[in-house]
Amino acid sequence: MTHRTGPGASPGGAPGVGAGTPSFAVPLPLDGGLSAQLAAAGREPHGELWTAAALLDAPEALIAAHGAFLAAGARILLTASYQASRQGLARRGLSAREADEAIARSVRLARAAVAARPAGGEPVWVAGSIGPYGAVLGGGAEYRGRYGLGAGELERFHRPRLAALAAAGPDLIALETLPDQDEGAVLLRMVPELGLPVWVSWTIDGPRTRDGRPMEEAFALA
């Protein structure tokens, strides 16, 4: 990961408020499973939106979940946007503008948790989470890839959610648990225009991504 300036990088580098790019010179603890944390607090995720539903129904529960991760020593918070998209949120009756606002809200809720912690802590970074197209389809498609979509269709799906997330000012973008290298290639072509650092992670089956191709090809894309 390389440092870039952009919406998430503040000149002062204030911890947790646009803290710039983590150097990764030493390992940094990530947060934990958001669905498990919400369930432990009595907010069991359900339905197609899964944890993203809390952006609409239980924002205070998301702040509390992020806060629990910080209290446990997390230095990077992933936003609750993994399964959030215009298409998925439209099934809850949201317009495109309202869907973009919900996606942006995921960054603000993570920031609110950072702001609420005791002063003087270690720097914390907020990573805007983008999950694969299959996470919106449900039925296990996020673990298989090979959606049958062309690059243009995947770009039209991801571009609005990437733009909404980046505009809200995370410190970096996290392309999370991608099963499909064609989708990864589309996303990695788009993210440089956001002006934010990016990481990518893949779901794998042995030495291959879940779409059956070698891991070497996946990481070569990045």
Side-chain angles (χ1 to χ4, degrees):
M1 182 183 291
T2 58
H3 180 82
R4 298 173 188 162
T5 58
S10 65
V17 187
T21 307
S23 71
F24 296 109
V26 296
L28 294 174
L30 292 176
D31 56 8
L34 185 56
S35 59
Q37 184 61 37
L38 288 171
R43 292 282 185 175
E44 184 83 42
H46 58 84
E48 294 176 334
L49 290 176
W50 202 240
T51 53
L55 293 170
L56 310 177
D57 304 331
E60 73 291 342
L62 283 176
I63 295 174
H66 290 313
F69 293 138
L70 292 174
R75 300 282 301 282
I76 299 177
L77 295 178
L78 285 155
T79 60
S81 51
Y82 179 91
Q83 279 158 302
S85 68
R86 284 183 175 181
Q87 286 87 330
L89 289 162
R91 293 195 284 270
R92 282 286 301 268
L94 274 67
S95 67
R97 181 188 61 79
E98 290 168 334
D100 292 349
E101 165 59 24
I103 293 168
R105 190 178 306 139
S106 70
V107 176
R108 294 197 296 271
L109 294 175
R111 294 280 189 218
V114 176
R117 68 183 181 142
E122 296 285 347
V124 173
W125 291 268
V126 171
S129 176
I130 290 287
Y133 173 75
V136 176
L137 296 179
E142 64 188 291
Y143 303 111
R144 294 190 300 268
R146 300 293 191 181
Y147 312 122
L149 299 182
E153 293 169 296
L154 288 168
E155 181 174 343
R156 284 190 292 275
F157 170 77
H158 282 297
R159 184 172 292 281
R161 63 202 299 245
L162 278 168
L165 201 58
D171 297 302
L172 56 130
I173 297 292
L175 307 178
E176 289 287 284
T177 59
L178 303 179
D180 189 288
Q181 292 190 34
D182 290 340
E183 181 176 31
V186 169
L187 283 163
L188 288 166
R189 282 198 299 270
M190 287 193 289
V191 290
E193 66 195 55
L194 302 177
L196 287 166
V198 173
W199 81 47
V200 58
S201 65
W202 306 90
T203 50
I204 63 171
D205 183 6
R208 296 178 178 271
T209 48
R210 295 304 294 267
D211 61 354
R213 286 181 276 185
M215 286 296 301
E216 291 85 354
E217 293 181 8
F219 285 106
L221 292 171

